[in-house]
Amino acid sequence: WSLCLNRYFFCRLQWPRLGTWQMRPRRLGAFCPWGGHRMALCFLMAFSTAWLAVWRQTSLLHETIWTPETQSPSVPLESEHEEAPEPDALPPALDEEGEESKGAPEEEALVQEEVTPAAEVTSLPEEDKVPQHSALLGVYQELCRMGLHSPGAIRLAPAHVRDVVVKLYQSLVERPPPAPFHRERRVHLKEPNCKNPAWRHLLDGSRRKTPRVVIDVTTGMGGGPELDLLEIRLWEINASLSHLPEPPPVKDVYVVSESAYGLRGDKKPLHFSRQKERFKDFLPQIEHVLLDNCSKYFREVEKMRNVTSKSKKRGGTMFSAEGIQRACVLQTLIRRRPDLPDDALVIFSDLDEVPSAAAIQMLRVCTTNSAAKEGPWVQANYPMPYNLRVGCKDRPKSQLHMQGAFATMGFLRRKKTLALRYNIRHNLIVPSAGIHLTYTGSRADVDYKLLHHGESGQILATKATAHGKRLDFCKIDDETVFQMEQLLRDNPVSVARAWERKSSILHKEPQGDLRKCQVPWALLTHPERYPHFWGKASGAPHENVAHRSRSSCASFKFPFLL
């Protein structure tokens, strides 16, 4: 209506008053930009829209005042347990910068489903008496008992209900690894070639006298696959100086941050604090940051917990806490560690964007040129959307995951902050910088990750077959859970991107050379410790895969690729 009235006022009232053509501004043209036929079409569309809105409002009013007594006797009452129709799919979610996703398998918003009203959530257990299940079926059964019937119901549930849902997953995401870690399998890099042509836009060809100190900064320590990801990440960075016969005098710093709340304001355990023993080899070098001590972040969490609008809970407006969280971590690092040298190499990325040991080696051992300055340099990560059975193939630059940054500590001190994503046209790119592991881990792990994610806030679609319907939690049994977990391993796109209704069955074994895709050495040599990353069921035999990985890594030489 505003557009139509504006055009009408301009064309019918202002245009004649401009006088002759010479007096009119040239940008207006020689005729009224909106002729009579366009004006008529505009008013017709506006009138139709207004009429439909009035009709829809009238229909909603009739639905609101409907009572069983007014229903015709010939129409039976709808059953309370009748299966709800399959919900419509949401459009593609927006990424952190507000740009529309172009199909990259990011952690996007899943299918929106009808929410069970808060009044129907029954039998909510007390916070200190939430049952801890050893299997995913127990979680689904408890959700059914609470009165929740679909992933969409979890997404739009109030904060106190979501707190209980998060608690149900605790024992599943903190489970111990199924096999021990073998330090003796660590890869030994070859001597770096500082004159490598692929790096000449960053390096001047000479070597530094002393390697840089590395400061690894991640945010949002959740649980489940993130405990595995943190372990894999720490060992990968640790291998960046494996070419040296003796350990260097420099001590790297690993900044691990976590909060008692997720990115949607849900209460959660401090998983790293509860699992510190698993990271005992790195504890002296870990700078632990408790985000709840940042007052601005805590206020934002309280604000999210009080959100009642369903449109806001669907995502898109739940990202403010992420930016505040990252700023808090960086400012805490600056304040706590004034002893760190200005030329120290800062790695800033999400936990699932694991940097490559070979790329870190080049940046900390070789000298950067004048064009590189002090950063920031963009990480070009290989996208691994699901488990490693996706395989490895050459991808053009446009398909790489350009997120995460390298910079110096001096740059961070001056700017006070860093961004996760920079314009690749104005900033230099680090080739083969790492890998982005998205929907990795078990089904419980991915459920837990999506629960805390700003774009999602719910769990994976409850599908047992690629083209099947989403199941009510109350209709899931032991056999169905087995089929759901198998579907995530064999055909993950049909579950993780269920709203697209796609299907693509993966190969039984990874295709291509995984080393060329910057798969971390700890993951490459420990398929028995991270079976879900390999697309295998926990407890399944891995002897052949493990043997192949160890033998292939015996002479592992991290090729430098564009």
Side-chain angles (χ1 to χ4, degrees), residues 122-309:
T122 59
S123 304
L124 201 64
E126 297 180 12
E127 186 174 357
D128 58 344
K129 296 182 179 179
V130 176
Q132 295 293 294
H133 301 282
S134 58
L136 191 58
L137 177 61
V139 174
Y140 293 151
Q141 291 174 341
E142 189 66 24
L143 293 175
C144 173
R145 193 185 67 81
M146 291 167 54
L148 299 170
H149 298 278
S150 67
I154 299 173
R155 186 181 200 178
L156 305 184
H160 68 281
V161 176
R162 290 180 56 86
D163 292 344
V164 175
V165 176
V166 171
K167 189 77 171 179
L168 291 173
Y169 280 88
Q170 178 176 333
S171 62
L172 295 178
V173 300
E174 291 185 349
R175 69 194 183 284
F181 190 89
H182 298 278
R183 300 181 60 177
E184 65 275 10
R185 297 181 188 176
R186 190 179 77 157
V187 66
H188 292 279
L189 301 180
K190 64 179 182 180
E191 287 289 329
N193 178 15
C194 297
K195 297 182 180 180
N196 191 305
W199 288 79
R200 61 186 177 186
H201 62 293
L202 277 168
L203 309 178
D204 65 2
S206 62
R207 294 186 60 161
R208 294 171 54 90
K209 294 181 180 179
T210 305
R212 297 178 190 259
V213 176
V214 168
I215 307 168
D216 182 48
V217 184
T218 58
T219 59
M221 179 67 202
E226 296 199 344
L227 291 169
D228 293 334
L229 288 169
L230 178 61
E231 182 178 67
I232 292 170
R233 185 184 182 106
L234 294 177
W235 282 110
E236 183 72 6
I237 297 174
N238 176 264
S240 61
L241 290 180
S242 59
H243 65 284
L244 299 176
E246 297 181 2
V250 297
K251 290 293 183 181
D252 297 336
V253 178
Y254 308 104
V255 181
V256 178
S257 62
E258 63 176 343
S259 169
Y261 298 90
L263 290 177
R264 294 181 72 92
D266 308 319
K267 290 182 180 179
K268 69 175 187 65
L270 298 174
H271 296 291
F272 174 78
S273 300
R274 293 166 54 88
Q275 303 288 323
K276 278 188 176 180
E277 184 62 23
R278 182 173 176 180
F279 307 98
K280 60 183 179 181
D281 292 327
F282 299 96
L283 285 180
Q285 299 169 256
I286 289 179
E287 193 73 39
H288 188 217
V289 177
L290 188 60
L291 295 166
D292 302 325
N293 293 330
C294 299
S295 57
K296 189 175 181 181
Y297 172 74
F298 191 76
R299 287 195 301 269
E300 190 64 27
V301 168
E302 290 296 320
K303 181 180 176 181
M304 286 193 297
R305 289 182 63 81
N306 294 327
V307 169
T308 57
S309 171

